[in-house]
Amino acid sequence: MKFLHAADLHLDTPFVGINDFSKKLQKKLQDSTYQAARNLFSTALKEQVDFVILAGDIFDDTDSSLKAQMFLRDEFEKLKQAGIAVYLIYGNHDYYRNNFAVVNFPENVHIFGQDVSTETLMSSDGVKVGITGFSYYQQHINQAVVKNYPSRGDFDYQIGILHAGVGDDNYAPFQINDLIQKGYDYWALGHIHKREVLCDSPAIVYPGDIQGRNQNETTPKGFYIVTVENQLTKLKFVKSSVYTWNKVELNVKNDSIDKLITKITDSLNQADTLLTLTINNAQNLSDDVIKTIKRNELQHHFANVDTPSILYKIILKFNDNPQLSQIDQKYWKQAQSQTLDLDKIKDLDSKLYAEGIIRDHINDRDFLKNITELVKNTINQKYTGE
């Protein structure tokens, strides 16, 4: 038996911060989630899998575009012609609601509803498979829905599909042991945009998203081909992403613009890569060089230069003044505990926090860390040399 497990296609992702790129490159970036999905479905056909599992957030928004729906219908039709079934759940981005889709998918596609249910199929090699799952019916689900999943049924192999985070109270929270106790053979997870195997036996697997969507989603993205032979589950990762996000740090002294251009050019050496460049010790640069960088003149320059990598963003990092760091550390810790408190940040504007996209951003595990680094960087820049 062989199946494909993918999640978080996020069709129609609105890539941000690309206005300085050429129109051609902007279009390629905006089409990258579609191309990654094409890579996914063509692999399913090439590998002749028995079925495909899509574990939520197929669309980037619950108001999915007609383009995205028609694209999926056409790809599903190709799978139908090859005798490949599709088992699909909706997640927090594309949660299920009445009249959700204006396009009907072909009959080889099973969409799980808001109540947990189980489907049965027979694989090409005679394995009786049970597949259990549910779709989100609202953006946030605080209940541990996995408790509603039945214990293992009368199947040769049972799969649970779940779009959720470990202990994440907003998204159908679960603990790894909750899944193990169900007795299933494989848990096809979605939601976390990071490839991760939480457990080998049973296999509890996040494939990550199929195309990185921002500078924090580094490394090649893709999905898993899962092969089951003699009750053994084997995973093979397949890359689907068109572009890979990467981060590079440069250390500078009193570098001129020409020297910086040479250093940056040397960093732009990986094909189809979107690079976020952090310039360390920016306090060593002259005011004129800093102004040039802040005016985005360096980025405009590289937007018109043919390099293997694409320069996405330049971050100036003003490092601590060693003469002051010892003195300031006590006061920084005191101010940090009083000011950089997540609950206080949420309370600054309750109307803004009520917006889903802002609430998700603030609740991201790296949000407070990023805010802290930005504050320290701003202070270091302001008081350099004083």
Side-chain angles (χ1 to χ4, degrees):
M1 181 180 75
K2 188 189 294 185
F3 63 93
L4 187 153
H5 169 206
D8 298 278
L9 279 61
H10 285 280
L11 296 176
D12 283 337
T13 290
F15 287 88
V16 296
I18 62 173
N19 291 337
D20 290 333
F21 295 166
S22 68
K23 296 297 182 184
K24 180 180 179 182
L25 180 53
Q26 288 185 48
K27 187 177 186 306
K28 287 180 69 176
L29 280 169
Q30 289 161 350
D31 187 57
S32 62
T33 52
Y34 285 89
Q35 186 55 51
R38 292 186 192 99
N39 296 340
L40 184 164
F41 293 121
S42 65
T43 301
L45 293 168
K46 179 182 176 181
E47 292 278 349
Q48 297 181 319
V49 300
D50 290 288
F51 54 92
V52 170
I53 290 176
L54 301 177
D57 284 359
I58 289 83
F59 304 110
D60 192 59
D61 193 278
T62 189
D63 292 319
S64 55
S65 69
L66 180 60
K67 172 187 174 182
Q69 293 182 51
M70 293 289 285
F71 167 80
L72 273 186
R73 187 187 69 177
D74 292 344
E75 294 298 321
F76 289 160
E77 185 63 36
K78 294 174 189 176
L79 297 182
K80 176 188 171 187
Q81 297 303 319
I84 298 172
V86 178
Y87 295 89
L88 179 157
I89 66 171
Y90 291 122
N92 57 293
H93 272 258
D94 55 359
Y95 56 91
Y96 181 85
R97 51 190 172 77
N98 290 334
N99 301 318
F100 174 78
V102 296
V103 171
N104 292 320
F105 293 143
E107 58 268 23
N108 63 318
V109 179
H110 177 81
I111 300 174
F112 288 87
Q114 71 179 59
D115 296 321
V116 175
S117 62
T118 301
E119 292 294 311
T120 304
L121 74 137
M122 195 69 71
S123 70
S124 57
D125 57 352
V127 177
K128 183 182 178 184
V129 183
I131 302 179
T132 303
F134 86 101
S135 286
Y136 277 52
Y137 52 89
Q138 60 190 31
Q139 189 174 26
H140 295 96
I141 295 181
N142 307 116
Q143 298 81 22
V145 183
V146 71
K147 293 180 179 179
N148 298 331
Y149 280 56
S151 297
R152 184 191 181 92
D154 182 22
F155 302 106
D156 300 320
Y157 197 89
Q158 187 156 2
I159 300 169
I161 313 178
L162 182 64
H163 192 87
V166 179
D168 190 335
D169 290 341
N170 289 312
Y171 305 105
F174 71 92
Q175 298 298 327
I176 295 174
N177 200 47
D178 297 334
L179 308 188
I180 295 174
Q181 288 178 350
K182 296 296 179 179
Y184 294 8
D185 300 282
Y186 189 94
W187 281 93
L189 305 181
H191 182 58
I192 302 299
H193 294 181
K194 176 184 176 183
R195 189 165 76 250
E196 189 172 6
V197 178
L198 300 182
C199 183
D200 292 316
S201 182
I204 302 176
V205 181
Y206 280 114
D209 48 351
I210 64 168
Q211 168 61 57
R213 301 161 67 235
N214 59 59
Q215 62 184 341
N216 294 319
E217 297 184 0
T218 55
T219 72
K221 301 292 187 175
F223 52 88
Y224 282 108
I225 295 293
V226 185
T227 305
V228 181
E229 295 178 347
N230 300 321
Q231 298 297 315
L232 293 177
T233 300
K234 298 179 181 179
L235 302 174
K236 180 178 76 171
F237 174 74
V238 180
K239 176 180 175 290
S240 61
S241 51
V242 181
Y243 293 100
T244 300
W245 298 83
N246 197 12
K247 296 181 179 182
V248 168
E249 295 189 3
L250 285 184
N251 291 311
V252 296
K253 294 183 179 178
N254 189 24
D255 293 5
S256 65
I257 285 294
D258 283 341
K259 191 170 183 179
L260 269 180
I261 288 175
T262 300
K263 285 185 174 181
I264 295 172
T265 301
D266 291 342
S267 298
L268 299 172
N269 56 11
Q270 294 183 339
D272 300 324
T273 298
L274 292 161
L275 189 68
T276 297
L277 181 72
T278 297
I279 297 178
N280 285 322
N281 300 308
Q283 70 274 7
N284 294 333
L285 298 173
S286 70
D287 289 342
D288 287 339
V289 171
I290 290 174
K291 286 178 183 177
T292 300
I293 296 171
K294 286 189 170 183
R295 289 196 294 258
N296 289 332
E297 291 187 52
L298 270 182
Q299 282 179 257
H300 290 154
H301 166 77
F302 281 102
N304 297 302
V305 176
D306 188 16
T307 55
S309 301
I310 301 159
L311 183 59
Y312 173 68
K313 181 187 288 188
I314 298 176
I315 298 171
L316 288 169
K317 186 173 182 181
F318 296 83
N319 297 75
D320 294 338
N321 183 328
Q323 294 178 320
L324 298 177
S325 59
Q326 290 278 55
I327 302 171
D328 291 344
Q329 191 62 31
K330 171 185 174 183
Y331 299 103
W332 164 256
K333 286 185 176 179
Q334 182 180 356
Q336 182 182 10
S337 63
Q338 293 174 351
T339 307
L340 299 177
D341 179 271
L342 192 57
D343 289 329
K344 290 181 180 178
I345 291 172
K346 292 176 181 179
D347 290 338
L348 285 174
D349 193 323
S350 57
K351 289 184 179 179
L352 276 178
Y353 188 65
E355 294 295 328
I357 188 170
I358 293 175
R359 183 169 59 249
D360 287 348
H361 186 63
I362 290 176
N363 286 324
D364 184 276
R365 65 187 68 183
D366 290 327
F367 172 78
L368 196 57
K369 177 183 174 183
N370 292 336
I371 288 292
T372 303
E373 288 301 316
L374 284 171
V375 171
K376 291 178 72 173
N377 196 52
T378 301
I379 292 171
N380 287 337
Q381 177 184 1
K382 185 174 178 62
Y383 293 104
T384 293
E386 295 189 10

